[in-house]
Amino acid sequence: MVDLNDILAAQERIKEHANRTPVMTSRTIDRLTGCKVFFKCENMQRGGAFKFRGALNTILLLNDEERSRGVVTHSSGNHAQALSLAASMLGVKATIVMPENSPKVKVNATRGYGAEIVFCKNNVESRVQTANRLVEEHGFTMIHPYNDERIIAGAGTAALELLQDHAPLDAVFAPVGGGGFLSGTSIAVKGISEDTLVIAGEPEKADDAYRSVRDGKIYPSVNPNTIADGLRTNLGDITFDIIRRHTDRIVTVSEEEILNAMRLLLERMKLVVEPSGAVSLAALLKISGDLVERRVGVLISGGNVDLDPFFRSYHE
Amino acid sequence: MVDLNDILAAQERIKEHANRTPVMTSRTIDRLTGCKVFFKCENMQRGGAFKFRGALNTILLLNDEERSRGVVTHSSGNHAQALSLAASMLGVKATIVMPENSPKVKVNATRGYGAEIVFCKNNVESRVQTANRLVEEHGFTMIHPYNDERIIAGAGTAALELLQDHAPLDAVFAPVGGGGFLSGTSIAVKGISEDTLVIAGEPEKADDAYRSVRDGKIYPSVNPNTIADGLRTNLGDITFDIIRRHTDRIVTVSEEEILNAMRLLLERMKLVVEPSGAVSLAALLKISGDLVERRVGVLISGGNVDLDPFFRSYHE
């Protein structure tokens, strides 16, 4: 079971290579929410998302034999980029299974960091089967994108830094997809300050974590056609176990609420975020009436978004 | 003549209301340039650009009679927003003359802050004539967007903060349009550290400042059809005088070089910047071979860009 000491050890392990990302504030959003909000900008992490923390922590924990076999994972994008980057930095071969409808920007970035890409169908079974087949055929070391204690410990270092810099906080918001980020966050937060609320944001169109915690069993994520492409996966047994114990609340948000939060982050705070990265703010905006005058942390998970439509407007 | 003491006084005057904007770094850009680069993020200033500093400083220096008459200015956008915001905060009526082809996002924001907008033709003469007519007809107090010592002193507080936080720097890059930002920057930089180079970036398609300094006379900006809409104006007599004395070099950059710098800022640093805001980085990228291993400051002037084409891609 991951605990605060694992997260502190991960922080020490990755600090040479990972960014201590900035924390931003906004008068506009403080006014809109009635809270004092601290945004932890994991969109500015290497590879463009918090995922680099867990990927790097995990590869650093592999032994020589595991590294020499090369690593494999399946990911909709950000874990793919993160593992590709961390592996290439440490001279480890990486192979990534990506759904065929992954955002082009994430596919290109993953390839750009040096990984080999194998495409699969756009569902969880195809991802897992394809990755397992590669493990059998080539002997690769599997690194699961979230249901892994080393990944979770790495992911928890973002909330750890936020609390080290800005405690005390009354609540911390994180998005939930597969649950790695939320698991690491909740262990870091509750380990440092038991009274701080841990609140998750989840797309209504991929609300499997909400229903799983409510009913006490893991539901699969069926046709999760949310724009928050990083949150389409379902919980794993490890993340489910952590989240049901340490997360105080899961707030589901509509697609429009996600886009509205994204607009605030891009237009008012001038931060490039991806839809998944805006879900935590969308959740805060939805329930901010419960947190008036509180000090609130909001984790922005990533910023890997396709900007071609924006740049095309300059060539018209 | 503006000096460092005026800028220090402006800093004290505006500090309650203006943001002390963050300074960001990037491993990617350090690697690309061979320098250690510090980005001063005025895109995160209130109103989305450095302009708020000068507008606020100027309104705070008006006497009661001048304030009661209301203020007027002409601006392609960022000074318009800044003056509108600063005026409304202090209960002063503002009227803004804007070229009819100003970016919609800037027009809407200016109106949103409470100013009245009067449109004019898209050239310098029309702007000036329209503003002068409003002064005559209504008795408004004219606040020039850049050729004004109070505006320049306010603009200089951005570079002042950058040096206070990250000195020593070997060079500081700023964009030049009308020259207010570059004037304030050069006075702040040279006042603190005479050996620090002040280098301007200017679009090739609006290179009137480059030619003006070279030839020792102010050229008008004729049909400046650069995407850097904030840099289409020509120098004024005050800014020309300061720039020719205190700026070490003006580097002109192509439209493609501006877009390339913008892409790095958005995609790699996750910062929303407008084309004018990327011109200083474009200049650094062009001459970074002259600054290898140096500590370099880059002023990002603003981030008010039309994001509708980007968001439309989520509704397709």
Side-chain angles (χ1 to χ4, degrees):
Chain A
M1 181 72 183
V2 188
D3 65 20
L4 181 60
N5 286 328
D6 296 310
I7 298 174
L8 288 163
Q11 181 180 41
E12 197 57 31
R13 195 173 293 122
I14 68 174
K15 73 178 182 191
E16 183 188 340
H17 297 294
N19 290 340
R20 189 170 183 114
T21 52
V23 175
M24 311 288 242
T25 59
S26 162
R27 295 174 199 246
T28 302
I29 289 176
D30 285 356
R31 200 182 62 238
L32 284 172
T33 58
C35 310
K36 180 68 201 157
V37 188
F38 299 88
F39 290 92
K40 179 70 170 170
C41 292
E42 288 299 298
N43 56 331
M44 293 173 170
Q45 185 52 264
R46 297 183 81 173
F50 75 94
K51 291 281 192 180
F52 181 71
R53 297 174 181 270
L56 181 63
N57 187 51
T58 305
I59 294 186
L60 287 169
L61 282 167
L62 297 180
N63 61 36
D64 288 350
E65 190 271 332
E66 290 168 316
R67 288 195 200 189
S68 71
R69 286 191 277 130
V71 296
V72 66
T73 196
H74 52 87
S75 164
S76 66
N78 281 335
H79 176 65
Q81 281 177 245
L83 191 69
S84 180
L85 175 59
S88 78
M89 280 171 47
L90 300 169
V92 175
K93 174 181 158 65
T95 305
I96 316 283
V97 177
M98 299 186 85
E100 56 201 3
N101 69 338
S102 301
K104 199 188 65 177
V105 62
K106 295 185 180 182
V107 174
N108 289 343
T110 303
R111 198 174 274 136
Y113 291 129
E116 188 173 329
I117 296 174
V118 176
F119 288 102
C120 69
K121 292 218 169 58
N122 182 34
N123 61 60
V124 174
E125 301 75 48
S126 175
R127 284 192 200 194
V128 174
Q129 281 168 13
T130 309
N132 288 343
R133 180 173 58 75
L134 290 167
V135 169
E136 281 170 33
E137 287 177 7
H138 302 280
F140 297 149
T141 303
M142 175 70 191
I143 298 187
H144 193 278
Y146 51 86
N147 202 45
D148 180 308
E149 297 200 341
R150 301 162 298 186
I151 292 285
I152 291 168
T157 58
L160 177 65
E161 290 175 6
L162 178 61
L163 285 161
Q164 285 168 341
D165 294 346
H166 296 281
L169 294 176
D170 298 299
V172 173
F173 285 74
V176 60
F181 199 28
L182 180 57
S183 293
T185 298
S186 63
I187 292 166
V189 171
K190 296 296 185 184
I192 291 170
S193 161
E194 216 175 323
D195 292 340
T196 300
L197 296 172
V198 174
I199 303 175
E202 188 176 35
E204 283 173 5
K205 287 193 173 185
D207 69 343
D208 55 284
Y210 172 80
R211 290 181 291 112
S212 297
V213 170
R214 182 193 64 193
D215 297 347
K217 58 178 179 181
I218 299 172
Y219 288 112
S221 184
V222 181
N223 294 325
N225 65 338
T226 170
I227 55 169
D229 57 277
L231 306 179
R232 290 176 186 152
T233 44
N234 50 251
L235 300 179
D237 58 339
I238 301 174
T239 57
F240 174 63
D241 189 51
I242 294 169
I243 289 167
R244 63 195 303 203
R245 279 197 271 174
H246 294 302
T247 294
D248 295 282
R249 187 169 171 185
I250 298 179
V251 178
T252 59
V253 292
S254 70
E255 300 293 287
E256 195 183 332
E257 287 166 335
I258 296 169
L259 277 169
N260 177 40
M262 231 179 132
R263 252 197 201 271
L264 284 170
L265 290 164
L266 274 103
E267 291 188 347
R268 304 305 294 255
M269 293 188 68
K270 308 301 178 187
L271 295 171
V272 176
V273 300
E274 58 186 276
S276 306
V279 165
S280 47
L281 174 58
L284 168 60
L285 288 166
K286 191 155 189 171
I287 67 159
S288 59
D290 300 351
L291 293 164
V292 174
E293 291 184 8
R294 301 301 174 86
R295 290 169 60 88
V296 174
V298 170
L299 299 171
I300 296 178
S301 55
N304 292 323
V305 79
D306 186 358
L307 290 162
D308 281 352
F310 169 74
F311 282 105
R312 266 197 297 276
S313 68
Y314 285 100
H315 294 286
E316 277 162 7
Chain B
M1 182 73 185
V2 188
D3 64 21
L4 180 60
N5 287 327
D6 297 310
I7 298 174
L8 288 162
Q11 181 180 41
E12 197 56 31
R13 197 174 291 121
I14 69 175
K15 72 176 183 192
E16 184 188 340
H17 296 295
N19 290 341
R20 189 170 184 115
T21 51
V23 174
M24 310 288 240
T25 60
S26 161
R27 295 175 198 246
T28 302
I29 289 177
D30 285 356
R31 201 182 61 236
L32 285 173
T33 58
C35 310
K36 180 69 200 155
V37 187
F38 299 88
F39 290 92
K40 179 69 171 170
C41 293
E42 287 299 296
N43 56 331
M44 292 172 171
Q45 185 51 264
R46 296 182 82 174
F50 76 94
K51 292 280 190 180
F52 182 70
R53 297 174 181 271
L56 181 63
N57 186 51
T58 305
I59 294 185
L60 287 169
L61 282 166
L62 296 181
N63 62 36
D64 288 350
E65 190 269 332
E66 289 167 316
R67 287 195 200 188
S68 71
R69 286 192 276 129
V71 296
V72 66
T73 197
H74 52 86
S75 163
S76 66
N78 281 335
H79 177 64
Q81 282 177 244
L83 191 70
S84 179
L85 175 58
S88 79
M89 280 171 47
L90 300 168
V92 175
K93 175 180 158 66
T95 305
I96 316 284
V97 177
M98 299 186 84
E100 56 200 6
N101 69 338
S102 301
K104 199 188 64 176
V105 62
K106 295 185 179 181
V107 174
N108 289 343
T110 303
R111 197 174 274 135
Y113 291 129
E116 189 174 328
I117 297 174
V118 176
F119 288 102
C120 70
K121 292 217 168 61
N122 181 35
N123 60 61
V124 174
E125 302 76 47
S126 174
R127 283 192 201 194
V128 173
Q129 281 168 14
T130 308
N132 287 344
R133 180 173 58 76
L134 291 166
V135 169
E136 281 170 32
E137 287 177 7
H138 302 280
F140 297 151
T141 302
M142 175 71 191
I143 298 186
H144 194 279
Y146 52 86
N147 202 45
D148 179 307
E149 296 200 341
R150 302 162 297 187
I151 292 286
I152 291 167
T157 59
L160 178 65
E161 290 176 5
L162 177 61
L163 285 162
Q164 286 168 340
D165 294 346
H166 296 281
L169 294 175
D170 298 299
V172 173
F173 285 73
V176 59
F181 198 28
L182 179 58
S183 293
T185 298
S186 62
I187 292 167
V189 171
K190 297 295 186 183
I192 291 172
S193 161
E194 217 175 321
D195 293 340
T196 301
L197 296 172
V198 174
I199 304 176
E202 188 176 36
E204 282 173 5
K205 288 194 172 185
D207 69 344
D208 54 284
Y210 171 79
R211 291 181 291 112
S212 297
V213 170
R214 181 193 64 193
D215 296 347
K217 59 177 178 181
I218 300 173
Y219 288 112
S221 184
V222 181
N223 294 326
N225 66 337
T226 170
I227 56 169
D229 57 277
L231 306 179
R232 291 175 186 152
T233 44
N234 51 251
L235 300 179
D237 58 339
I238 301 174
T239 57
F240 175 63
D241 188 50
I242 294 170
I243 289 168
R244 63 196 303 203
R245 280 197 269 172
H246 294 304
T247 295
D248 296 283
R249 186 169 173 186
I250 299 179
V251 177
T252 59
V253 292
S254 70
E255 301 293 288
E256 195 184 332
E257 287 166 336
I258 297 169
L259 277 169
N260 177 40
M262 231 178 131
R263 252 196 202 274
L264 284 169
L265 290 165
L266 274 103
E267 290 187 349
R268 304 305 294 253
M269 292 188 68
K270 309 300 179 187
L271 295 172
V272 176
V273 300
E274 59 187 276
S276 306
V279 166
S280 47
L281 173 59
L284 168 60
L285 288 166
K286 193 156 188 170
I287 65 158
S288 59
D290 300 351
L291 293 164
V292 173
E293 291 185 9
R294 300 300 174 86
R295 289 169 61 87
V296 173
V298 171
L299 299 171
I300 297 177
S301 56
N304 292 323
V305 78
D306 186 357
L307 289 162
D308 282 352
F310 169 74
F311 281 106
R312 266 199 297 276
S313 69
Y314 285 100
H315 294 287
E316 279 162 5

